[in-house]
Amino acid sequence: MSAHENRSRRPQRIRGGFRDAARSSAYSASGLSEAVRRLEAQLGVRLLNRTTRSVVPTEAGRGLLERLGPALSEVEAALDVVNGYRDTPAGVLRINVPVSATRLVLPSIVPGFLAAYPDITLEIVSDDSFVDIIAAGCDAGIRYDERLEQDMIAVPIGPRVQRFVAAASPAYLDHHGRPQHPRDLLDHACMRGRFASGAMMGPWEFEQGEEIVRVDPTGPLIVQPGAAIELAIEAAIAGSGIIYIFDGWLKPHLDSGALEEVLEPWSQRFPGPFLYYSGRRLVPAPLRAFIDFVKAQAVRPAP
């Protein structure tokens, strides 16, 4: 049985509509639609509301999915145990990660992993909101320890120490002055962030010795965390104000001199991210391969 055939026989979740589901299965959109109609007829209740543009579960459909979802996931994981008897694991590995991890963590891992496991398809779902990875149909996620649930198993991934950096262009600092204390930022133009929910990102936090200072600056640009971060960085380079973000995002620009770090003695350090997955499920072979690869890379001596 080929890897594609093995994946196509697993239970499939309908995502968006029958055409989307058909693309990730061995069935046609019409075949899936007819199967759902037969199930609705057997149960005597409508499970999906259909329009020409979308397919949305009814209340009964949502209830059924909530009850069947964990069971189907367990069946899928149990079937995946067979993967352990293959020479190399095969299948799809779906990981939910924040945008920062796609930039700062995964580039040093993914190419080597794909080369080592050519029969595994890796799907990265980039999402800065905190989601239930099981409900979202993901095998694992990447987050920081303060956002991990108690029943999750966490494996260190990527840099083990990171820090937040405040920086601006030398031209901006020459014109507006260089802040000497975090509270000086209240007199500067600062790039801020707003979550997709509409809530502003929390205060900027700085630390020196035993003193922790939180400030809530204002400025001319507000961006949503994710892809728009690049816009905020470019605006800072152009002299629009001060940006506050992971050091990994800014390192090339700090090294080139396009940006200058400020308040370095106050820069807050924190533990790096973790790969996390459910401790209550069988670990699928593709995920086990990824975990082993990450662990092996962590103990490999730096070049």
Side-chain angles (χ1 to χ4, degrees):
M1 180 183 295
S2 69
H4 173 74
E5 290 170 335
N6 184 47
R7 290 195 299 270
S8 68
R9 295 191 183 190
R10 294 179 181 179
Q12 298 290 329
R13 296 179 178 88
I14 294 180
R15 298 172 185 162
F18 292 113
R19 289 183 180 177
D20 291 335
R23 293 190 189 102
S24 59
S25 72
Y27 305 98
S28 66
S30 59
L32 289 172
S33 179
E34 180 58 30
V36 172
R37 285 194 182 93
R38 289 198 302 268
L39 179 59
E40 289 176 329
Q42 181 180 350
L43 296 175
V45 63
R46 180 179 290 277
L47 300 175
L48 300 174
N49 287 322
R50 306 166 179 82
T51 70
T52 57
R53 303 184 65 178
S54 66
V55 177
V56 180
T58 63
E59 184 177 355
R62 288 194 298 270
L64 183 62
L65 283 173
E66 289 174 1
R67 294 297 299 272
L68 289 180
L72 291 175
S73 295
E74 288 301 319
V75 170
E76 184 174 354
L79 290 173
D80 200 77
V81 170
V82 178
N83 241 337
Y85 295 94
R86 296 170 52 92
D87 292 334
T88 58
V92 177
L93 173 59
R94 199 164 186 256
I95 304 179
N96 182 282
V97 303
V99 173
S100 60
T102 65
R103 171 71 177 268
L104 307 179
V105 175
L106 294 182
S108 65
I109 296 174
V110 167
F113 176 75
L114 295 178
Y117 297 97
D119 293 331
I120 293 178
T121 298
L122 180 60
E123 182 178 351
I124 301 299
V125 180
S126 189
D127 187 351
D128 278 308
S129 61
F130 188 59
V131 301
D132 181 335
I133 57 173
I134 306 303
C138 293
D139 300 291
I142 295 178
R143 288 296 184 272
Y144 290 86
D145 57 356
E146 73 273 10
R147 303 192 74 181
L148 297 179
E149 297 179 12
Q150 293 297 318
D151 61 346
M152 292 291 173
I153 297 175
V155 177
I157 186 172
R160 296 325 307 144
V161 177
Q162 293 182 283
R163 67 190 184 103
F164 282 112
V165 169
S169 71
Y172 172 89
L173 296 173
D174 288 343
H175 186 265
H176 297 277
R178 288 163 173 79
Q180 301 301 309
H181 188 279
R183 284 190 287 272
D184 294 342
L185 294 171
L186 297 176
D187 297 323
H188 283 268
C190 297
M191 312 297 173
R192 298 175 297 160
R194 187 193 301 276
F195 293 112
S197 65
M200 293 294 294
M201 296 183 68
W204 293 8
E205 187 170 294
F206 298 86
E207 184 175 359
Q208 186 177 44
E210 299 297 320
E211 185 179 5
I212 296 177
V213 178
R214 298 178 180 87
V215 296
D216 195 6
T218 60
L221 180 63
I222 299 174
V223 300
Q224 184 175 319
I229 288 298
E230 294 290 352
L231 173 61
I233 293 173
E234 291 301 323
I237 292 172
S240 298
I242 298 175
I243 191 170
Y244 180 69
I245 196 174
F246 291 155
D247 57 347
W249 284 94
L250 300 184
K251 188 177 186 306
H253 309 296
L254 294 171
D255 291 345
S256 70
L259 290 175
E260 177 185 329
E261 183 175 355
V262 296
L263 300 171
E264 183 175 0
W266 289 89
S267 178
Q268 190 177 64
R269 287 163 171 79
F270 54 96
F274 293 85
L275 174 74
Y276 72 99
Y277 58 97
S278 174
R280 299 181 179 180
R281 304 176 64 200
L282 292 171
V283 178
L287 176 56
R288 173 52 59 193
F290 190 77
I291 293 168
D292 292 343
F293 187 86
V294 168
K295 288 181 176 179
Q297 189 179 63
V299 300
R300 190 177 301 132

